[in-house]
Amino acid sequence: MSTHGDHGTEEYQHSSASRELLILYATETGTAQETADRIARECRRVHFHCRVQSMDAYPPATLISEHLVIFVVSTTGWGAEPRAMSSLWNMLLRSDLPNDLFEDMDFCVFGLGDTAYEKFCWPAKKLSRRMQSLGGYEICSRGEGDEQHRMGVDGALDPWIECLLEVLTQLYPLPHEQDNIPAGRPPPRVSLSNVGSDTSLDPDPLDEDTNFHTASVKCNRRITAEDWFQDVRHFEFSFEDDIKYNPGDVAVIHPSAPASEVDSFLVIMGWANVADDFFTVEHTMLDQTLPDHLPKIVSLRILFTRYLNFNAVPRRSFFQLLRYFAIDELEREKLDEFVSIEGADVQDEMYDYCQRVKRTIWEVLSEFRSARIPREYVFDLFPPLRPREFSIASSIEFHPREIHLCVAIVRYRTKLKIHRKGVCTSYLSGLKLGDTLRIGLRKGFISLPTDPNTPVVCVGPGTGIAPMRAVIEQRIHKGHTNTTLYFGCRSAHKDQHYHKEWESHAEEQKLRYRVACSRDGPEGVKRTYVQDLMKEDAQYIWTMLGQQRGILIISGSSNKMPTAVREAVRGAAERFGGRSNAEAVEYVAAMEREGRLIEECWS
C-alpha cells in the first residue's frame, strides 16, 4: 500500500497553518459516529481542528476541495456499505472521474466490521482502493476494527490512532513554540445555561423534520403463539400524509425510554430534584457530534427519555472520562486499570466486567458511586439514544397511507442472569391503538425487476419475512405470478409468520410457497432449513435464477443462513447449469454485481 511514509516525510510536509481536518463517518448502529468523535478528540492533541459529519449530510461534490480527510465506515449486511454512504459512494464510482481528481488530498480510512462474516470491513477496503485510484494519498494504513475482538473495535482503534497522530505530526509539523497537548480531561462539547420555568419551549425538531410523518397506531398484534418463547408483533400505522415508499425501504423510529427507568436512573445519579429544570444547550466543541433532533432547551428528564442512552454497554472511552469524576481512591484505581493499554490481563478484566456480561452504563454508575458527573458532560459520557430502522412489511399499493412492520420484541438474560429488553422494541410493544408517533422513511437496497417475466426468489426466515411481504404484495398487485418464497421458522404452529396469507396466495397460484420448520421433525433427525429446501429444489432454482435470469433476495439474520443460501445456488449451477465449482462461484458473484442477488440482512 502506498503511503507518504514510502517517500520520506520532508518532501511531503505541509504548512503548519493547514491544520484543518474533515472526518466523515457512515454508521448504522452509531459505533462509527462514536469512533469519529473519538478520533477528533485525539487529533486535538496535535492541534488539529476537526469537522465531524455524517456522509449523508455532506455534499459529495465538495469533497474535491478538502485537503485532509479521515473516513470512518461501518459494514452492513453482506459486506454492503451503510445507507449513509450511498450518495458519496455512487459519486465516487462515476466512470468519468479523472484519476488525478484527489491528487491534492491526504486521506486515511478506519473500517468497522465483524470477522465472523466473509466480507470483513468490505466498504472501508473498497473506499480505500477507490480513493487511491482517483489520486488520493493514503497517509497511514487502513484500520479495521473487529467486533469479535475482546475490546471490540477499540482493540484496533487505539493503536491505529497512535499511528495516525505520529503520521500527522510528521506531515504537518507543529510550530517550534507548540508541543503536543498532554492527555487529560477534555472540555465538554456543550455549554449549558439555566432558564426560567416559565420559558416557552421551541417546537420539537422531530415534528419539524419533513422526512418524518405523523403516524397513528392501527394494530399492535402478537403473531407468535402465546406460549412461544419469542414475542413477534405485527404493527400497522396509518398516516394522513400521502407517504410513498418501495419494497425494501425502512421505517425509522425514535424510541423513548420507559418513565419508570428514567426516574430510577435520575435518583441513582442524584439528579431527581433537578430533573425537570430547563436549560439551554450551546454546542461549543464542534468536532464532537450531538444527538439528532436535539432541542435547544431541554431538561435532564427529557434528555434521558429521548436523547441519551443510559442502558448502552460502555466502551473504553467511557471509563477514560469517568475516572476524572470519581472521588473514591479505590474506584479511581479500578478505572485506571480498565483504561490501561498495558497487558492482555487488563483487557481481559475489563472485558469480563463489561462486554462479556453486557453491563450497562447505568449499572456501572451504580457501582462507581463516588463519581460526580457535571451536567455539561452528559453528552460526552452517554451515547445518543439512536433511532432504530425496521424493514417495512407492506406494499403501499396494497395498503395506501399505511406502513406495516414485523418486529421481534427483544428480551433476554445476560450471563449475570439479569433481564434485558430492547429500548425501541419495548417502546413499540407498549404502544396502544390510537397512539401517535413520528416515523421516517429511508431508501433500502432492494430493486425489483420491471420485466413481468423475470422471476423473483425470496428467502426470508424469521422476521426476515418483513421486506419479503412488501415484495410479494407489490408483485401480486402488478399481476406478477412468478414469485417464490422460502420461509424458515421453528414450528409450523408457533412462529410461521403470515402463513395464512402465503397459503392463500399459493392456492390462487400467485405465489410458490415453501416452508422449513426446523424443530417440527422427530428427535435425532437432521433439522431442515431454507437452504435445505433450496437444495431439494436445485433444478427449479437453476431454472428460475439461471435459465430465466431471475432475482434472488435474501433477508434475515446475518448468521450462517446467507452463506448457506449462496451455497445452495452454487450447487444448483453445478448440478443443472453444467458449471464447474469455480464457474459456479463466479456465477453467484456475477449475480451480485449485476444486482440479481440482493441481501438485506442484519446481525
Side-chain angles (χ1 to χ4, degrees):
M1 179 179 294
S2 176
T3 67
H4 279 306
D6 298 330
H7 304 277
T9 59
E10 290 184 10
E11 181 184 350
Y12 290 94
Q13 282 184 349
H14 296 267
S15 163
S16 60
S18 56
R19 308 193 76 76
E20 302 289 332
L21 189 159
L22 172 66
I23 302 178
L24 290 176
Y25 66 88
T27 190
E28 290 283 319
T29 63
T31 306
Q33 182 179 353
E34 290 179 42
T35 300
D37 281 347
R38 165 90 189 281
I39 293 169
R41 286 197 303 273
E42 298 293 341
C43 285
R44 290 181 202 158
R45 289 163 46 192
V46 290
H47 297 273
F48 270 89
H49 304 287
C50 301
R51 290 175 292 137
V52 179
Q53 276 191 269
S54 176
M55 289 187 190
D56 59 359
Y58 181 82
T62 62
L63 188 62
I64 192 173
S65 64
E66 307 289 349
H67 75 277
L68 179 57
V69 183
I70 299 174
F71 298 96
V72 183
V73 185
S74 63
T75 310
T76 64
W78 185 259
E81 72 275 3
R83 291 180 180 88
M85 182 178 165
S86 297
S87 179
L88 180 66
W89 183 237
N90 290 337
M91 184 276 285
L92 292 174
L93 289 180
R94 279 173 39 190
S95 59
D96 60 342
L97 298 180
N99 58 13
D100 60 353
L101 181 66
F102 297 123
E103 63 179 356
D104 296 323
M105 181 192 291
D106 291 340
F107 80 96
C108 56
V109 179
F110 188 86
L112 299 93
D114 188 327
T115 48
Y117 305 116
E118 182 178 334
K119 293 188 175 180
F120 171 63
C121 287
W122 205 248
K125 292 172 181 174
K126 292 193 296 183
L127 178 61
S128 173
R129 288 195 294 266
R130 184 56 176 159
M131 290 300 297
Q132 289 185 74
S133 73
L134 293 173
Y137 225 70
E138 192 161 35
I139 60 174
C140 68
S141 297
R142 182 182 62 251
E144 296 181 348
D146 181 12
E147 289 290 351
Q148 293 295 317
H149 191 281
R150 293 180 74 80
M151 299 300 293
V153 298
D154 290 334
L157 179 62
D158 291 345
W160 186 83
I161 286 176
E162 292 306 314
C163 176
L164 170 68
L165 297 185
E166 184 178 338
V167 170
L168 288 176
T169 52
Q170 290 174 353
L171 298 178
Y172 299 81
L174 288 163
H176 294 300
E177 68 274 9
Q178 279 191 321
D179 294 318
N180 288 2
I181 300 172
R185 185 171 90 177
R189 67 187 71 188
V190 300
S191 173
L192 308 180
S193 301
N194 291 328
V195 297
S197 57
D198 57 345
T199 303
S200 60
L201 301 182
D202 294 329
D204 188 331
L206 189 60
D207 291 340
E208 304 284 295
D209 189 337
T210 56
N211 293 314
F212 283 75
H213 308 269
T214 300
S216 177
V217 179
K218 184 180 174 182
C219 175
N220 175 358
R221 183 179 78 248
R222 178 171 176 143
I223 57 174
T224 45
E226 289 295 333
D227 60 350
W228 192 240
F229 74 96
Q230 189 176 43
D231 179 0
V232 176
R233 302 285 181 96
H234 172 74
F235 293 94
E236 296 178 8
F237 301 98
S238 60
F239 297 78
E240 290 187 7
D241 293 347
D242 188 19
I243 57 171
K244 300 294 182 187
Y245 59 86
N246 294 306
D249 289 356
V250 297
V252 183
I253 295 176
H254 285 265
S256 294
S260 59
E261 290 190 9
V262 175
D263 288 342
S264 298
F265 171 74
L266 292 170
V267 169
I268 285 286
M269 297 302 297
W271 289 333
N273 292 334
V274 295
D276 298 303
D277 294 351
F278 285 100
F279 49 85
T280 60
V281 179
E282 181 186 354
H283 193 183
T284 52
M285 301 303 292
L286 300 181
D287 62 355
Q288 302 293 286
T289 58
L290 292 178
D292 292 340
H293 303 103
L294 180 69
K296 291 181 180 178
I297 301 176
V298 293
S299 66
L300 286 172
R301 188 182 306 281
I302 291 172
L303 280 180
F304 288 104
T305 299
R306 292 186 53 192
Y307 301 102
L308 296 176
N309 188 1
F310 54 85
N311 278 313
V313 176
R315 293 176 60 182
R316 183 168 170 267
S317 55
F318 168 86
F319 294 99
Q320 286 176 318
L321 185 54
L322 183 64
R323 67 178 175 173
Y324 293 112
F325 306 126
I327 299 170
D328 182 83
E329 195 61 36
L330 290 176
E331 290 183 7
R332 289 177 66 91
E333 287 179 11
K334 177 58 68 176
L335 291 168
D336 284 338
E337 289 176 13
F338 282 165
V339 300
S340 171
I341 59 174
E342 302 298 328
D345 289 345
V346 174
Q347 291 188 3
D348 287 348
E349 186 176 354
M350 181 177 162
Y351 173 80
D352 289 339
Y353 175 76
C354 198
Q355 281 79 20
R356 186 177 71 86
V357 297
K358 291 183 166 52
R359 201 182 302 267
T360 66
I361 290 176
W362 183 2
E363 290 164 344
V364 170
L365 292 173
S366 298
E367 296 187 1
F368 288 84
R369 300 297 295 272
S370 79
R372 298 291 180 266
I373 299 170
R375 192 175 59 173
E376 60 268 23
Y377 274 94
V378 294
F379 293 101
D380 302 281
L381 269 167
F382 297 90
L385 181 55
R386 303 184 188 281
R388 303 301 196 266
E389 297 183 352
F390 299 94
S391 293
I392 296 174
S394 55
S395 164
I396 197 69
E397 310 291 352
F398 254 50
H399 311 281
R401 298 183 190 241
E402 287 188 8
I403 282 177
H404 297 183
L405 300 180
C406 178
V407 178
I409 307 304
V410 178
R411 294 191 182 99
Y412 63 98
R413 288 207 301 173
T414 69
K415 293 182 183 296
L416 295 176
K417 308 302 182 186
I418 297 173
H419 288 275
R420 287 274 189 273
K421 52 188 179 182
V423 177
C424 195
T425 60
S426 293
Y427 165 72
L428 286 173
S429 69
L431 292 174
K432 305 289 191 297
L433 298 190
D435 284 351
T436 60
L437 68 159
R438 299 282 283 177
I439 296 180
L441 296 169
R442 266 187 110 173
K443 181 75 179 150
F445 294 119
I446 294 175
S447 179
L448 293 178
T450 54
D451 184 350
N453 296 314
T454 302
V456 173
V457 176
C458 301
V459 184
T463 54
I465 196 64
M468 303 312 185
R469 187 170 182 261
V471 167
I472 291 165
E473 288 185 347
Q474 183 94 333
R475 286 179 62 79
I476 290 175
H477 176 80
K478 292 181 177 295
H480 303 171
T481 58
N482 48 356
T483 308
T484 302
L485 171 62
Y486 287 91
F487 178 68
C489 60
R490 296 191 177 202
S491 168
H493 303 293
K494 303 288 188 180
D495 64 335
Q496 191 182 173
H497 310 327
Y498 305 112
H499 67 95
K500 291 182 180 178
E501 293 182 20
W502 314 138
E503 291 160 1
S504 174
H505 294 325
E507 195 174 309
E508 295 169 0
Q509 297 188 329
K510 297 175 180 177
L511 175 73
R512 185 174 187 266
Y513 179 47
R514 296 276 276 146
V515 58
C517 304
S518 62
R519 302 299 197 273
D520 281 352
E523 281 291 328
V525 175
K526 182 180 178 295
R527 292 170 177 170
T528 300
Y529 299 102
V530 286
Q531 59 266 27
D532 299 311
L533 296 185
M534 294 179 73
K535 289 175 183 176
E536 290 177 17
D537 298 349
Q539 186 168 5
Y540 174 82
I541 290 293
W542 180 248
T543 300
M544 295 294 105
L545 301 181
Q547 295 174 358
Q548 297 184 25
R549 294 185 59 77
I551 287 178
L552 172 65
I553 308 173
I554 308 171
S555 174
S557 177
S558 295
N559 48 27
K560 299 176 182 178
M561 181 272 296
T563 301
V565 168
R566 289 163 185 262
E567 288 291 346
V569 177
R570 283 196 279 265
E574 285 185 56
R575 288 176 59 195
F576 297 100
R579 263 66 168 180
S580 66
N581 180 264
E583 289 170 338
V585 169
E586 171 53 29
Y587 184 82
V588 174
M591 284 181 63
E592 190 164 13
R593 289 195 300 270
E594 296 164 5
R596 295 198 301 118
L597 194 164
I598 302 165
E599 190 172 308
E600 181 81 24
C601 293
W602 53 86
S603 57

